[in-house]
Amino acid sequence: MSGSGEPYPPLSDRPVRGPASDSAGSRSSKHIAPRSPRTALEPDTVEMPTSRSKRARHPFIVIGNAILSLFVLVAIAAAVALVAGKQRFDAPGPLAEDRVVNIPRGSGIRDIADVLVREGVIDQPWVFVGGVLVLKAREDLKAGEYQFKAHASLRDVVATIVEGRVVPHQLTVPEGLTSEQIVARLLDDDILTGNIKEIPREGTLLPDTYSFTRGITREQMIQRMRQAQQRELKEIWDRHSPDLPIKTPDQLITLASLVEKETGKPEERTRVAAVFVNRLKQKMRLQSDPTIIYGLVGGKGTLGRPIMRSEIEQATPYNTYQIDGLPPGPIANPGRASLEAAANPARTRELYFVADGSGGHAFAETYEQHQKNVARLRAVETDQKDQAPSDTQLSPTPPQAAVAPAASAPQRRAPSRHNKNPQTTH
């Protein structure tokens, strides 16, 4: 009898699976024992969960899990920062217009970032620093003067500095300047730095247009001019005409300096050189006006006035009206073309030249023809003077380097020259 007063069903009425009624059971090797009525009414027992092992509660495990979690968080934050940084790295910059910025030598990555911020090229220095480090370009940053385009991105800024795309400058040294005049030009250039120890020897610098960057010194520029002149001189001397009446490269420079100062038009260089070479071969004095000027003022280059007759007759080591042969050294720094002309002059027998009134010269083989050229020049000058307005006519210029050849030895005299500016080529 149960506690409720209802009888239990008889055991025979309960369905019991046995070996005869369950085909699956017949295949099982286990025998299921019947439960008693009381056992059937009791709830099934559930295993209690096992407590965490002591190993799981070990401090090292706890710390390790914390570190792993922190690493994951850092990695996520780094990924987000990387994506955001890349967007900022490639975004247009704050620069409103093109700007030239000078990055001094010895500047570190933070110094460069500060300069760029101060000049308004960038406004996110840490993104600049991070971008340089990510690109592994820290050691490739170069000092110099750079031009950054308007709204240049940080990537463009870094590329410009890493590739060293510095702003180029140029210095043009005209042909025919003395070394003292060239030094004065170098000192006037405020892009160059440093001083010049001494004036280079005359004729050792090559006139040309030189490209350079901010920071180069004046002494370095002098050295470049020297090296350029030495290369050109060696190349030209190696293929000079074999019948030249000169024996050394230094004499070639001296002859070329006379050609440089006497040439009115570039195409006349070889003919002017030929006149000097022909006169040297015939032992005639060169009588070149620029040698008078150099003998009087040296490296200063110009008199600032016409040559006087007394100065023509004044003996100096350079005055080729008074000395035989070439002067003792160059009177200027000749360019490539004049060196080439002196080394390979035209094949003529001309001994005289005089200005033709149009910037060039009239050449002659004989003294008689030369005198006709002189008369023609004077007629041109007179005609030009008569045609000039009265308020622009100038007073007659003083006598210039025009000496009438001696009647007894006309072939030994230099070409008569007449020009209103004796300090230019005649």
Side-chain angles (χ1 to χ4, degrees):
M1 295 293 291
S2 64
S4 61
E6 295 181 0
Y8 287 107
L11 292 175
S12 60
D13 293 336
R14 294 183 182 180
V16 178
R17 286 189 175 183
S21 61
D22 191 351
S23 60
S26 63
R27 292 192 298 269
S28 175
S29 61
K30 293 183 179 180
H31 175 72
I32 299 176
R35 295 189 296 177
S36 66
R38 185 177 296 277
T39 303
L41 293 175
E42 293 178 355
D44 294 334
T45 59
V46 179
E47 292 185 3
M48 296 296 294
T50 58
S51 60
R52 298 179 62 188
S53 66
K54 293 182 179 180
R55 181 180 180 183
R57 295 193 301 269
H58 196 281
F60 286 155
I61 301 298
V62 175
I63 294 174
N65 290 336
I67 292 175
L68 182 60
S69 300
L70 180 61
F71 177 79
V72 172
L73 292 175
V74 170
I76 295 173
V80 172
L82 186 62
V83 172
K86 184 179 184 303
Q87 291 177 345
R88 293 185 179 182
F89 198 66
D90 293 326
L95 194 59
E97 58 185 11
D98 293 1
R99 177 167 297 179
V100 174
V101 177
N102 182 42
I103 296 178
R105 294 184 182 276
S107 298
I109 186 171
R110 283 302 311 275
D111 299 325
I112 296 175
D114 291 341
V115 170
L116 295 176
V117 171
R118 186 168 59 250
E119 295 292 337
V121 178
I122 66 174
D123 56 4
Q124 297 173 325
W126 287 110
V127 178
F128 171 83
V129 173
V132 171
L133 296 178
V134 170
L135 294 174
K136 298 180 179 179
R138 183 170 188 171
E139 301 300 324
D140 298 326
L141 298 177
K142 302 176 181 66
E145 189 177 25
Y146 298 95
Q147 183 176 26
F148 299 104
K149 300 295 183 181
H151 304 295
S153 67
L154 284 167
R155 185 179 296 277
D156 295 333
V157 172
V158 172
T160 298
I161 300 174
V162 168
E163 294 172 12
R165 299 198 294 263
V166 294
V167 176
H169 297 277
Q170 288 188 334
L171 174 69
T172 298
V173 179
E175 294 88 345
L177 294 184
T178 66
S179 293
E180 185 174 338
Q181 290 173 319
I182 292 176
V183 166
R185 288 197 173 220
L186 295 179
L187 293 175
D188 287 341
D189 194 305
D190 57 1
I191 303 296
L192 298 170
T193 62
N195 209 338
I196 297 175
K197 298 177 181 178
E198 60 182 2
I199 296 176
R201 185 165 55 90
E202 201 72 80
T204 59
L205 306 178
L206 183 69
D208 202 350
T209 296
Y210 294 89
S211 296
F212 65 97
T213 58
R214 182 180 291 274
I216 189 173
T217 67
R218 295 179 174 88
E219 281 290 343
Q220 288 174 324
M221 187 63 72
I222 289 287
Q223 188 61 24
R224 284 181 60 185
M225 293 181 187
R226 279 201 186 104
Q227 293 171 352
Q229 195 265 3
Q230 291 169 1
R231 289 193 300 268
E232 289 292 332
L233 179 62
K234 182 181 185 306
E235 180 182 342
I236 293 171
W237 178 254
D238 287 345
R239 47 186 172 79
H240 74 277
S241 179
D243 61 344
L244 285 182
I246 55 177
K247 304 302 181 184
T248 66
D250 286 341
Q251 290 181 338
L252 178 65
I253 298 174
T254 300
L255 176 58
S257 69
L258 269 64
V259 173
E260 192 72 78
K261 298 297 288 185
E262 289 280 17
T263 300
K265 294 181 178 179
E267 61 270 19
E268 292 182 352
R269 281 191 175 96
T270 56
R271 293 182 72 181
V272 171
V275 169
F276 287 132
V277 168
N278 292 338
R279 293 175 74 86
L280 286 172
K281 288 179 178 180
Q282 295 190 27
K283 308 297 182 183
M284 298 173 66
R285 286 184 177 176
L286 301 182
Q287 294 184 320
S288 170
D289 291 356
T291 62
I292 299 175
I293 297 172
Y294 193 86
L296 295 173
V297 300
K300 297 188 183 305
T302 61
L303 274 175
R305 56 172 175 77
I307 299 173
M308 296 185 293
R309 182 173 295 274
S310 60
E311 292 169 337
I312 298 172
E313 299 171 354
Q314 181 178 338
T316 70
Y318 286 86
N319 186 351
T320 53
Y321 279 83
Q322 304 299 324
I323 65 171
D324 298 326
L326 291 168
I331 62 172
N333 289 276
R336 292 184 182 89
S338 292
L339 288 168
E340 290 276 8
N344 295 280
R347 297 292 179 176
T348 72
R349 292 186 292 181
E350 295 165 343
L351 295 171
Y352 306 92
F353 60 83
V354 66
D356 61 5
S358 64
H361 292 92
F363 295 83
E365 294 182 10
T366 66
Y367 178 70
E368 290 74 15
Q369 181 60 48
H370 171 63
Q371 288 294 83
K372 293 180 181 179
N373 292 336
V374 172
R376 191 177 298 112
L377 171 65
R378 288 172 178 166
V380 170
E381 291 178 334
T382 300
D383 185 60
Q384 292 175 346
K385 182 177 179 181
D386 292 341
Q387 293 179 4
S390 58
D391 59 346
T392 61
Q393 289 186 10
L394 301 177
S395 59
T397 57
Q400 302 182 24
V403 182
S408 59
Q411 297 295 326
R412 295 292 174 180
R413 305 299 294 179
S416 173
R417 296 178 177 86
H418 187 76
N419 193 300
K420 289 187 176 180
N421 186 0
Q423 297 164 49
T424 60
T425 54
H426 301 307

